[in-house]
Amino acid sequence: MNSVQLTTVSRTRTAGLVLACVSVCTVLVVGLVAATNLAVPMLAASDLHPDSAELLWIVDSYVVVFACLVIPGGAAGDRFGRKGVLLAGLAAFAVGATIAAVAPNIPVLLAGRAVTGLGAALVLPNCIGVLVHAIPPERRTRALATWAVASGMGGIIGNTGGAALLTSGSWRTLFAAVAVIAVACAVWVARTVPISSRHARSLDPAGTILFVGTTVALLIGIIEGPEQGWRSPLVVGMFVLSVLLAAAWVVAELRIPHPLLDPRLFRIPLLSSSSLGMLVTFFGSFGLFFLNASLLQYGRGYSVLQAGFGTLPLALPLLFLARFVPGLINRVGTPVTLAAAFVAISGGLFGLSTAGPYLAYAAWLVVIGVGLALALPSLTAGLMAAMPPEQAGVAGGLQSATRELGSALGVAVVGTIASSGHDRLSDAFTVGAHDALRVVSVVTLVAGTVVVAVALRPATRGE
């Protein structure tokens, strides 16, 4: 073997290790959302005695901080170096999880969850940025498809791994294990990930503050909607505030030469359709994750561990089909691939609402998995292709922000429908959950149609 061949083999091996490393980091930060949902009953019965509002924010403080800071976190990676920011994120993630694991009261637990969310906001977008830098262009599409599968698997692994930890220990065990895994990931990143170039661009403080404010107000409105009522002064006020801040953000970004995220980029069909598609995909999938534990435990009498492992059929298509998606896109195009994806996700969600025996339930989970296996690589590749490589961190942040917003919307909508007029611990909740699945199915199909229509729109002049 000559020196050129040895160099090629070495680069291929390094690229494979980097891909494996950032995939594990991604599963960690995404999976914690699902794992924490499983821990809610233990937290409710714990010696901390949280009330219903505190319990809600134990779960959502992570999501809010994560979603609000993920685009600035990606921009920080572009500016200061993606490896360094990724390591800082894993360190913050470990510290936050440790604080949560030993928290003596609710305020400390909430602080730990917020610090963990900050870490996640630095980790997830820079995982994509690292991939764009480390993977050769000819292998990048397939690598991004693999990473997209890892992001989709995060919720499933969080369900199963979280269930196993909670069965063998307590909710403190879950957070302690997360901290240990984060430290191990940091060591792996330090040894494996190459240093990427830095890009001398402003972090746009004004735009960042306005964007964070917009996202905070929007998420508070979404999260508090099911609890306070969608017409309550708090919820309506948060939605109005988010619109006003969003308008101010657009004006501010259009006036500076190097904005955090240029609003004009959304005139690019590939970027706008991929962003909307990511939101729709996670609207449906996290609506399902929110309901799944209740449907299996209340509707079928499963234990926490059985409910956690009950989602495994969803993983099969993600594991075995996603690697063929780049080739499929090359043959039939992105719009056709996305159309098939949203039909599968929508049909699977509707099918779950009618499923009888668990085998039928599992079969519909496989159908949803097929849709996710088609959608996630297509949408991730579209987002990355629509933005220049030097803004890979921001592109990763946008991908992460849309998925977190979609997740929050899915949980809020299905939670409102499923619990409306019902006792959550009664058989009536199962009926409400089936209604919620049907609504999410229809919304996913309609919104997916819009995504495909936008993807089909030709680029306008100057894009």
Side-chain angles (χ1 to χ4, degrees), residues 221-293:
I222 292 170
I223 291 168
E224 291 291 340
E227 294 288 325
Q228 302 287 336
W230 294 102
R231 297 181 181 178
S232 68
L234 172 65
V235 173
V236 173
M238 287 296 104
F239 286 148
V240 171
L241 179 60
S242 71
V243 171
L244 295 175
L245 289 173
W249 171 74
V250 170
V251 172
E253 298 295 77
L254 292 176
R255 290 182 174 179
I256 63 174
H258 301 292
L260 173 73
L261 177 64
D262 191 338
R264 288 166 291 205
L265 288 171
F266 289 98
R267 293 184 300 183
I268 302 173
L270 185 60
L271 183 68
S272 55
S273 64
S274 297
S275 300
L276 178 60
M278 195 67 70
L279 187 149
V280 173
T281 300
F282 281 89
F283 170 83
S285 61
F286 268 76
L288 168 63
F289 285 139
F290 178 79
L291 290 175
N292 179 72

Side-chain angles (χ1 to χ4, degrees), residues 9 20 31 81 87 90 131 134 154 173 210 276 298 300 305 308 408 414 424:
V9 170
L87 285 170
L90 289 167
L131 272 183
T173 304
L210 287 170
L276 178 60
Y298 302 150
R300 300 178 185 271
L305 186 63
V414 302
R424 292 177 67 92

Side-chain angles (χ1 to χ4, degrees), residues 294-295 297-301 418 421-435:
S294 299
L295 283 170
Q297 290 181 78
Y298 302 150
R300 300 178 185 271
H422 297 307
D423 178 356
R424 292 177 67 92
L425 298 178
S426 70
D427 290 340
F429 175 73
T430 303
V431 176
H434 288 159
D435 292 340

Side-chain angles (χ1 to χ4, degrees), residues 33 161 198 255 257 369 417:
V33 180
R198 303 181 183 187
R255 290 182 174 179
I417 299 171

